[in-house]
Amino acid sequence: MLIQKSKIAFEDAKKVIPGGVDSPVRAFKSVGGTPIFIKKAKGAYLHDIDGNRYIDFVQSWGPLIFGHCDSDIEEAVLEATKNGLSFGAPTLVETALASEITQMFDNIDKVRFVSSGTEAVMSAIRLARGFMNKDDIIKFEGCYHGHSDSLLVQAGSGAVTFGSPSSPGVPADLTKHTLLAKYNDINSVKKCFESSKNIACIIIEPIAGNMGLVPADEEFLQDLRNLCDEHGALLIFDEVMSGFRASLKGAQGLSSVKPDIVTFGKVIGGGMPVGAFGARGEIMDRLSPDGDIYQAGTLSGNPIAMSAGLASLKKLKANPDIYDKLEAKAKKLTDGFKKTAKESGIELQVGVRGSMFGFFFSSNEVKNFDDALKCDTDKFALFHQKMLQNGVYFACSQFESGFICEPMSDEMIDEVIDISKKVFSELS
Ligand code: KE4
């Protein structure tokens, strides 16, 4: 693959955009090499500015379950643009998309739309703190919930740690209200409740996708629910990534546990900037203008974005068997990788949840962030680079997930498995 134009484009971008990218992970820093600049995309394929074609397992980090330039979503967007781009006033399409979501979940009576997953989670945290009149929150090491201050927190040492900022610019006075626990480890959560009587909520990715793919154990989720009920805290499922990806009802569709607040993003925007958070009426009605907890946004509920999201959701609801089909393809891919890797003496841990998948370069099961950090990230980086050179575009970090989209055929999956055979043999 010649990527000369991307190399030049990246140098030019770095002159006017920090790091040359508008979101850090895109810079390929953890895998090395030059980020490819995309010219266009169609179906399962990306095309870069040098004329190379790649099969895309990132799909804009999850939104594009129907692939790029889906005709139904494209038509809905183009039609909506004829009526105007934004009004800053209520529109029928917002109610329509909100209704599509609330009809699906008996624990969600109302939703509010925002413009990103970060905004959805930030708003959900404020809502939980306001509703419970408590300041502390519990999050898990390895879970990512966007870049709002309270959630840009990582563990210090020890099983239970009052958060320390993971970025300059985040005041310690703020992150002291963020308690950290270990994923799939209920005792670490119990210790948080022992160390604070002021916990408003627990927030979790019920299927973690930001430390690689690490699903929470069902018993662990049930224990979280019980602890929240016992101590008077709200349970927040951050389904920005898993929502409408793991199943039609996201992680909730694969668990008996009912959260109090759910955040969404990605798929519900169909590729346009949309986030959302929802809960039962008594919680959501505390939001302004009827309630006293403030939350707002100029482009929240933007009619073009709503139209894309509505088309995406309607298409999913009309094709509920899509998840079994995409999961079968995800299993085919990851089982294929596991086999070709083993033939070259490389141990892979693989995971699938609906159209989401992950693989770790590790000989041990990955149940939490500590396990994930022990993976061979150097080998992942080489794998990523070589697959990219062979026209296969994976997430540029070991600590991300991959996605199957509807236009991906079994033949494409077989082709990628064949390429992996060659790449794994080069790696071993
Ligand atoms: P955004 O603000 O990036 O739309 O959403 C934040 C967010 C919240 N919650 C979960 C579970 C998420 O996965 C995300 C964002 N996901 C990352 C990819 N793992 C976005 C990619 C990026 O940061 O560029």
Side-chain angles (χ1 to χ4, degrees):
M1 289 277 179
L2 291 176
I3 58 166
Q4 203 49 32
K5 287 182 180 174
S6 279
K7 287 179 177 174
I8 294 166
F10 192 39
E11 293 312 310
D12 290 346
K14 284 193 270 191
K15 294 170 189 160
V16 289
I17 299 174
V21 291
D22 285 312
S23 197
V25 70
R26 301 177 193 172
F28 275 28
K29 282 210 179 294
S30 65
V31 292
T34 301
I36 57 165
F37 278 60
I38 306 302
K39 178 177 182 180
K40 61 181 180 178
K42 179 69 180 165
Y45 292 102
L46 292 171
H47 299 263
D48 71 14
I49 59 174
D50 287 281
N52 302 306
R53 189 186 77 166
Y54 307 83
I55 185 164
D56 179 15
F57 289 101
V58 178
Q59 294 149 37
S60 185
W61 303 96
L64 304 172
I65 194 165
F66 291 107
H68 295 278
C69 292
D70 171 79
S71 54
D72 297 315
I73 296 171
E74 193 173 272
E75 186 186 330
V77 168
L78 294 176
E79 203 51 38
T81 56
K82 292 173 185 168
N83 298 323
L85 298 182
S86 182
F87 312 114
T91 59
L92 294 175
V93 69
E94 293 162 77
T95 308
L97 184 54
S99 303
E100 289 290 342
I101 295 171
T102 55
Q103 284 161 15
M104 295 174 66
F105 300 95
D106 55 17
N107 56 332
I108 300 178
D109 296 330
K110 295 184 180 178
V111 293
R112 175 159 287 172
F113 295 109
V114 292
S115 300
S116 72
T118 292
E119 229 188 314
V121 171
M122 178 180 74
S123 306
I125 293 293
R126 182 180 311 132
L127 178 59
R129 282 169 158 159
F131 185 78
M132 300 307 288
N133 193 26
K134 295 175 179 174
D135 293 341
D136 293 347
I137 66 174
I138 296 173
K139 79 174 285 288
F140 294 90
E141 292 167 7
C143 284
Y144 176 71
H145 303 288
H147 65 93
S148 61
D149 283 350
S150 289
L151 292 153
L152 272 190
V153 170
Q154 62 193 16
S157 60
V160 172
T161 310
F162 282 86
S164 58
S166 57
S167 167
V170 178
D173 272 355
L174 186 64
T175 54
K176 70 185 179 187
H177 293 292
T178 303
L179 284 71
L180 280 142
K182 288 196 183 307
Y183 204 77
N184 283 321
D185 174 348
I186 199 62
N187 288 327
S188 70
V189 184
K190 287 175 180 172
K191 286 178 181 168
C192 289
F193 280 108
E194 287 161 13
S195 54
S196 167
K197 299 305 171 204
N198 191 27
I199 292 170
C201 63
I202 296 175
I203 182 164
I204 188 167
E205 288 179 66
I207 299 170
N210 289 290
M211 51 175 128
L213 185 80
V214 183
D217 295 333
E218 175 66 7
E219 186 184 352
F220 176 65
L221 292 177
Q222 190 56 60
D223 289 342
L224 292 181
R225 178 70 272 171
N226 297 339
L227 280 175
C228 283
D229 296 341
E230 183 185 336
H231 294 278
L234 295 181
L235 180 58
I236 302 178
F237 274 11
D238 179 354
E239 295 229 52
V240 166
M241 186 190 291
S242 56
F244 306 99
R245 267 287 181 181
S247 81
L248 184 59
K249 293 191 174 181
Q252 284 196 84
L254 307 176
S255 165
S256 64
V257 174
K258 292 278 174 268
D260 297 297
I261 301 176
V262 188
T263 56
F264 296 103
K266 298 182 193 275
V267 169
I268 65 161
M272 298 288 284
V274 177
F277 58 107
R280 61 182 185 271
E282 71 164 325
I283 295 176
M284 294 303 281
D285 289 343
R286 285 293 304 275
L287 283 170
S288 58
D290 291 348
D292 52 352
I293 300 170
Y294 196 71
Q295 186 277 335
T298 301
L299 292 175
S300 296
N302 172 272
I304 314 305
M306 295 288 103
S307 301
L310 186 60
S312 187
L313 238 53
K314 280 184 170 179
K315 200 164 176 173
L316 285 170
K317 291 171 100 169
N319 301 280
D321 61 345
I322 188 174
Y323 292 97
D324 290 340
K325 289 178 186 168
L326 298 187
E327 182 166 77
K329 289 189 170 78
K331 283 196 163 74
K332 179 184 175 74
L333 180 77
T334 51
D335 290 348
F337 277 10
K338 200 169 172 70
K339 180 173 175 292
T340 51
K342 196 156 184 67
E343 287 163 0
S344 293
I346 294 171
E347 281 294 310
L348 279 192
Q349 301 297 316
V350 299
V352 169
R353 281 295 182 280
S355 63
M356 300 169 68
F357 65 88
F359 49 90
F360 291 101
F361 283 83
S362 172
S363 47
N364 304 308
E365 192 184 11
V366 178
K367 295 293 288 180
N368 58 42
F369 195 41
D370 289 340
D371 295 344
L373 290 174
K374 291 171 190 155
C375 294
D376 188 339
T377 50
D378 292 338
K379 193 156 280 182
F380 176 87
L382 280 175
F383 177 77
H384 180 273
Q385 285 169 17
K386 290 177 179 292
M387 292 301 279
L388 193 63
Q389 285 154 14
N390 284 278
V392 184
Y393 190 84
F394 279 115
C396 43
S397 162
Q398 165 69 87
F399 307 118
E400 293 288 355
S401 297
F403 304 96
I404 302 289
C405 64
E406 196 267 339
M408 280 180 181
S409 66
D410 284 335
E411 293 71 28
M412 288 178 193
I413 303 289
D414 287 333
E415 180 193 343
V416 171
I417 292 168
D418 289 346
I419 293 169
S420 76
K421 185 178 178 69
K422 178 168 73 82
V423 167
F424 282 126
S425 66
E426 290 167 9
L427 289 180
S428 62

